[in-house]
Amino acid sequence: MGLYDRELEGTDDIFNAVKEIVDKGNLGNKIEVVRMFSAAKREYELNQLKDKFEEKSGRKYIREVIVIDGQSAIVVAQRDDNPEHGFWYQPIILNNYSNVLYETMEQALIGMVCLKTDNLNASIWINKMLGINI
């Protein structure tokens, strides 16, 4: 049974399963260890990138960072400390400063394209053409 097929619960179970793989030391298990390390490294790098977007956003109560590519993301943040009051969607480009908030994800995606092409005001017209309420 492969490592990912096991029902591992808790830190001790995971640690013991990985330790068992390392202790056996055969080729298949080395490959599993390399895969685990690579996945962990990708997750670490993604979290570092998300931290950059959160910092650039400057918002409190951030719920999610949706990474589009290495330079752009949409930050989803609560409007205030009460999630029932809704969310703001903020397109962020790391090498460009713009502090524009949108009420929907659709508007934020259109805003992202407009921000990337340096046509931020075009988002109003694009939303109207598509029938998206502003």
Side-chain angles (χ1 to χ4, degrees):
M1 175 182 284
L3 178 67
Y4 303 111
D5 297 325
R6 299 181 192 179
E7 294 294 325
L8 301 174
E9 296 180 17
T11 306
D12 290 336
D13 285 350
I14 295 169
F15 178 79
N16 290 333
V18 172
K19 186 175 182 326
E20 177 184 320
I21 290 171
V22 172
D23 288 344
K24 284 185 180 177
N26 61 25
L27 181 60
N29 289 335
K30 286 182 183 178
I31 291 172
E32 284 186 12
V33 171
V34 169
R35 285 177 50 200
M36 285 188 299
F37 175 79
S38 298
K41 184 175 180 185
R42 281 191 305 272
E43 186 69 21
Y44 173 78
E45 290 169 351
L46 180 62
N47 286 334
Q48 295 287 10
L49 186 59
K50 285 181 177 183
D51 288 345
K52 288 180 185 178
F53 289 118
E54 285 183 16
E55 183 179 323
K56 180 119 182 185
S57 169
R59 300 269 164 242
K60 290 183 178 180
Y61 315 117
I62 292 176
R63 273 308 217 32
E64 184 177 5
V65 176
I66 303 165
V67 176
I68 296 173
D69 59 35
Q71 289 294 311
S72 56
I74 294 179
V75 175
V76 181
Q78 292 175 201
R79 292 178 187 230
D80 56 30
D81 62 348
N82 186 347
E84 293 179 10
H85 292 164
F87 299 95
W88 289 117
Y89 300 86
Q90 181 182 15
I92 301 283
I93 298 176
L94 290 178
N95 61 0
N96 184 354
Y97 180 77
S98 179
N99 192 10
V100 182
L101 301 173
Y102 296 94
E103 293 184 2
T104 67
M105 177 62 88
E106 292 81 8
Q107 291 171 347
L109 288 169
I110 291 169
M112 174 65 75
V113 172
C114 293
L115 185 62
K116 279 188 163 196
T117 59
D118 202 24
N119 293 302
L120 199 53
N121 292 331
S123 66
I124 296 168
W125 298 105
I126 294 170
N127 284 321
K128 282 184 179 182
M129 287 185 339
L130 297 174
I132 297 173
N133 296 332
I134 300 176

